[in-house]
């Protein structure tokens, strides 16, 4: 128990101190310091509230430039709406527990407006700060609050834009390769199970369906992050990447994941359940296993092998699948059962369609 807690704690610290997180922390520190340096230079009453500028810089600090602009703008919009709500309360009635409760509720309701994003939290927060901190001089406080937050947001966006704006291409590319390799392993493991004495000793593959689905969702998230990181990013011209190709590869891998999940369920049912109306005929086991292993080797080749080698592996997988079709055509149907091998072969056909290498 103690060892597991220690391992989880170490894993948590490792995730908190990644290179990406450290870079973001360094830029947030620089932006906050610059904002606080600039804040006293603001004209009029705004100079009396310099501590809101670093807050604005932190609000705008995001792990990509487009996100910084969006998050900063949303915060300022929510802030302005909250200040307006506070002024409405001051002009209608004196602040009291009941009136504050009512207007805070209105602020939370306004936070549900579409496309307000992170700015939704700032509506009741800004209104409450104007009422509690503004005191007898809400005009100066509101102006200073809004101006200094705007200064901080501008500094945060500028720092994120100018100091090594992040591109998340490597994580997306690596995740695509890892998912493709995991799908290939799943197929080869299932093919190996077909060649073992049933029930097979190795059954880890039968429990990976949800794991594969989760991996596909993670890859989609990382590809979308890579796409967002290139927007408004001056480094994108120095590090070009075809993100549209990443999206096409992702969609193909999502289709492959679906078919492999289906094959996993079918094969698990055939091996371990007695009440299913389908089976894999014994004479189909060997050719089906060869086809699954060949297709798995094809999927696993995309990370390491050249296109010529991939074409060779594709031809071998296609030939193995066609051999399964020919074997099934020569087999006489057994009354009362449905051959599950036909469903698996259909899924293999669709996987090969999605995994076809680039033409010469």
């Amino acid at each position: 128990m103690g060892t597991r807690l220690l391992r989880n704690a170490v894993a948590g610290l490792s995730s908190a101190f990644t290179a990406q997180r450290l870079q973001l922390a360094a830029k947030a520190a620089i932006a906050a310091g610059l904002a606080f340096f600039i804040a006293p230079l603001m004209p009029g009453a705004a100079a009396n509230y310099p501590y809101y500028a670093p807050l604005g810089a932190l609000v705008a600090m995001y792990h990509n430039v487009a996100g910084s602009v969006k998050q900063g703008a949303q915060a300022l919009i929510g802030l302005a709406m909250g200040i307006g709500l506070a002024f409405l309360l001051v002009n209608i009635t004196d602040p009291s527990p009941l009136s504050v409760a009512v207007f805070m509720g209105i602020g939370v309701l306004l936070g549900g407006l579409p496309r307000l994003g992170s700015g939704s939290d700032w509506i009741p927060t800004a209104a409450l700060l104007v009422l509690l901190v503004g005191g007898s001089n809400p005009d100066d406080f509101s102006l200073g609050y809004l101006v200094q937050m705007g200064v901080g947001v501008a500094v945060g966006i500028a720092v994120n834009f100018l100091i090594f704006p992040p591109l998340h291409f490597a994580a997306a590319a690596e995740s695509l390769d890892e998912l493709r390799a995991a799908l290939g392993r799943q197929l080869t493991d299932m093919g190996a199970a077909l060649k073992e004495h049933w029930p097979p000793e190795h059954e880890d593959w039968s429990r990976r369906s949800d794991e594969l689905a989760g991996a596909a969702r993670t890859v989609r998230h990382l590809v979308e992050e890579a796409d967002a990181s290139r927007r408004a990013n001056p480094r994108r011209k120095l590090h070009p990447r075809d993100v549209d190709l990443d999206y096409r590869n992702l969609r193909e891998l999502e289709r492959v994941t679906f078919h492999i999940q289906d094959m996993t369920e079918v094969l698990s049912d055939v091996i371990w359940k007695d009440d299913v109306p389908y089976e894999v005929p014994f004479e189909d086991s060997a050719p089906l296993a060869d086809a699954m292993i060949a297709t798995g080797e094809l999927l696993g080749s995309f990370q390491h092998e050249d296109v010529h080698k991939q074409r060779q592996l594709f031809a071998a997988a296609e030939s193995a699948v066609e051999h399964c079709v020919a074997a099934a055509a020569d087999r006489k149907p057994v009354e009362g059962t449905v051959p599950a091998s036909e469903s698996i072969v259909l899924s293999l056909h669709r996987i090969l369609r999605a995994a076809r290498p680039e033409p010469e």
Side-chain angles (χ1 to χ4, degrees):
M1 181 69 176
T3 304
R4 188 191 308 167
L5 288 174
L6 180 61
R7 192 163 51 244
N8 291 339
V10 171
L13 286 173
S14 299
S15 64
F17 292 98
T18 61
Q20 179 182 328
R21 193 71 185 174
L22 290 171
Q23 184 188 101
L24 184 65
K27 292 201 291 185
I30 293 170
L34 281 174
F36 195 63
F37 175 78
I38 295 170
L41 305 177
M42 293 298 102
N48 297 325
Y49 305 98
Y51 33 86
Y52 288 112
L55 178 61
L58 293 178
V59 166
M61 195 52 58
Y62 196 73
H63 56 266
N64 61 62
V65 177
S68 284
V69 175
K70 181 179 179 180
Q71 191 161 281
Q74 289 173 340
L76 291 177
I77 292 170
L79 191 66
M81 292 176 67
I83 290 172
L85 188 63
F87 270 95
L88 183 63
L89 171 58
V90 170
N91 289 325
I92 290 177
T93 182
D94 293 329
S96 68
L98 178 60
S99 61
V100 168
V102 169
F103 275 79
M104 290 304 99
I106 294 172
V108 173
L109 286 175
L110 290 174
L113 291 172
R115 299 187 180 181
L116 198 53
S118 61
S120 61
D121 295 331
W122 286 97
I123 299 175
T125 302
L128 193 59
L129 280 173
V130 170
L131 292 174
L132 298 180
V133 182
S136 60
N137 196 11
D139 293 351
D140 285 350
F141 175 79
S142 300
L143 179 62
Y145 187 15
L146 189 58
V147 168
Q148 295 290 16
M149 284 287 289
V151 168
V153 165
V155 170
I157 293 171
V159 167
N160 210 12
F161 181 83
L162 295 172
I163 301 179
F164 202 74
L167 288 168
H168 301 301
F169 294 159
E174 184 178 348
S175 68
L176 285 165
D177 287 339
E178 287 176 353
L179 177 59
R180 195 178 282 114
L183 294 170
R185 283 194 300 272
Q186 179 71 355
L187 279 178
T188 54
D189 286 352
M190 288 194 290
L194 277 171
K195 291 189 172 185
E196 292 181 15
H197 178 74
W198 282 18
E201 295 181 7
H202 303 95
E203 55 184 76
D204 289 349
W205 57 268
S206 65
R207 297 188 290 268
R208 291 185 196 146
S209 186
D210 291 340
E211 181 181 325
L212 292 174
R217 287 193 296 270
T218 299
V219 174
R220 172 162 287 278
H221 170 73
L222 291 173
V223 170
E224 289 172 349
E225 283 286 316
D227 187 15
S229 73
R230 65 177 179 159
R231 297 172 194 160
N233 194 321
R235 296 178 60 230
R236 62 182 293 183
K237 294 185 187 259
L238 299 174
H239 304 275
R241 182 172 180 84
D242 190 351
V243 178
D244 292 334
L245 177 60
D246 286 339
Y247 274 117
R248 289 197 297 274
N249 289 335
L250 169 64
R251 288 191 291 270
E252 289 172 355
L253 286 177
E254 286 175 333
R255 286 195 291 271
V256 171
T257 301
F258 171 79
H259 292 305
I260 290 179
Q261 283 181 289
D262 183 65
M263 294 166 64
T264 301
E265 296 295 328
V266 169
L267 196 55
S268 297
D269 288 349
V270 168
I271 295 174
W272 286 290
K273 291 188 178 179
D274 298 325
D275 57 347
V276 292
Y278 47 85
E279 63 177 13
V280 174
F282 177 77
E283 58 269 28
D284 287 352
S285 298
L288 198 59
D290 291 339
M292 294 170 78
I293 291 171
T295 306
E297 290 174 348
L298 169 67
L299 290 175
S301 72
F302 280 80
Q303 187 174 4
H304 305 291
E305 304 292 350
D306 57 24
V307 176
H308 177 69
K309 180 65 174 177
Q310 289 168 12
R311 292 195 193 102
Q312 290 181 334
L313 291 170
F314 179 84
E318 193 173 43
S319 175
V321 172
E322 288 173 355
H323 180 61
C324 288
V325 174
D330 294 337
R331 185 191 60 242
K332 293 182 179 180
V334 178
E335 188 175 348
T337 62
V338 176
S341 46
E342 294 180 4
S343 170
I344 294 174
V345 169
L346 180 60
S347 293
L348 287 172
H349 262 297
R350 290 173 173 168
I351 291 170
L352 289 179
R353 189 186 307 165
R356 184 182 295 273
E358 296 178 6
E360 296 187 66

